[in-house]
Amino acid sequence: MKKNIVALVMLCSSIMALGTVAPARAQLGRNVIGPSLAIGGGQTSVGIDSKFGLSDNISLRPFVYFPSAGTYFGSGITYDFNLVSTGDRVQITPFLGGLVSIGTGSSINNTTTIGLLGGADFDVTDTIQLKAALNVPISSNNTSTTVNIGAGFKF
């Protein structure tokens, strides 16, 4: 339990530090945080997913998930392709990148995973964003491909 608290504090500290150093133009309305589900490996995990715009097309995506008897935390870095549909002005932002994930706990066996990350963000309103993503591990530590779905509040 102490490891999970330390990991969560480290993740929150890095998020706060990033928010203070990113350019103001990149921060405005491009940051998102909210609840998320990770589905894969025979289980569904609840967690917190976020996105911080580093530039117009580059985002840092820290996350933490809580599967049974463990914790996954890490971050992805993605290139965001901005697409805007006509009519109702629904913004769709596909993204592609890489991620590093660290798993701790008895059921996870303390693993570090490197993988590919791809998906899309959907702007529902000016303050709400939905996300769907696929995490595909490329390291050889027997971790599973996961599908992540979530919602977030833009700030």
Side-chain angles (χ1 to χ4, degrees):
M1 183 64 180
K2 288 183 181 182
K3 286 182 182 180
N4 294 342
I5 292 171
V6 170
L8 187 59
V9 167
M10 289 174 49
L11 180 64
C12 291
S13 298
S14 64
I15 290 169
M16 293 302 293
L18 177 65
T20 61
V21 298
R25 192 177 109 226
Q27 290 181 14
L28 185 59
R30 295 201 21 95
N31 301 329
V32 180
I33 191 164
S36 184
L37 292 175
I39 303 164
Q43 64 180 331
T44 300
S45 305
V46 177
I48 299 170
D49 213 341
S50 57
K51 176 179 90 168
F52 296 94
L54 300 178
S55 71
D56 288 340
N57 293 94
I58 304 293
S59 294
L60 186 66
R61 297 174 180 268
F63 58 86
V64 60
Y65 288 98
F66 304 100
S68 60
T71 302
Y72 274 112
F73 65 95
S75 184
I77 189 161
T78 60
Y79 183 84
D80 303 338
F81 305 91
N82 293 322
L83 302 177
V84 178
S85 67
T86 58
D88 294 329
R89 198 187 173 298
V90 175
Q91 174 132 6
I92 300 171
T93 309
F95 57 85
L96 185 62
L99 67 88
V100 175
S101 173
I102 299 169
T104 62
S106 60
S107 68
I108 301 170
N109 298 325
N110 300 325
T111 59
T112 300
T113 304
I114 297 172
L116 300 175
L117 170 65
D121 297 321
F122 306 96
D123 288 342
V124 178
T125 67
D126 289 341
T127 57
I128 303 290
Q129 186 176 78
L130 301 178
K131 181 193 95 166
L134 183 67
N135 297 343
V136 180
I138 57 175
S139 56
S140 61
N141 58 9
N142 298 324
T143 56
S144 300
T145 297
T146 60
V147 173
N148 298 35
I149 54 174
F153 299 99
K154 295 172 70 174
F155 60 96

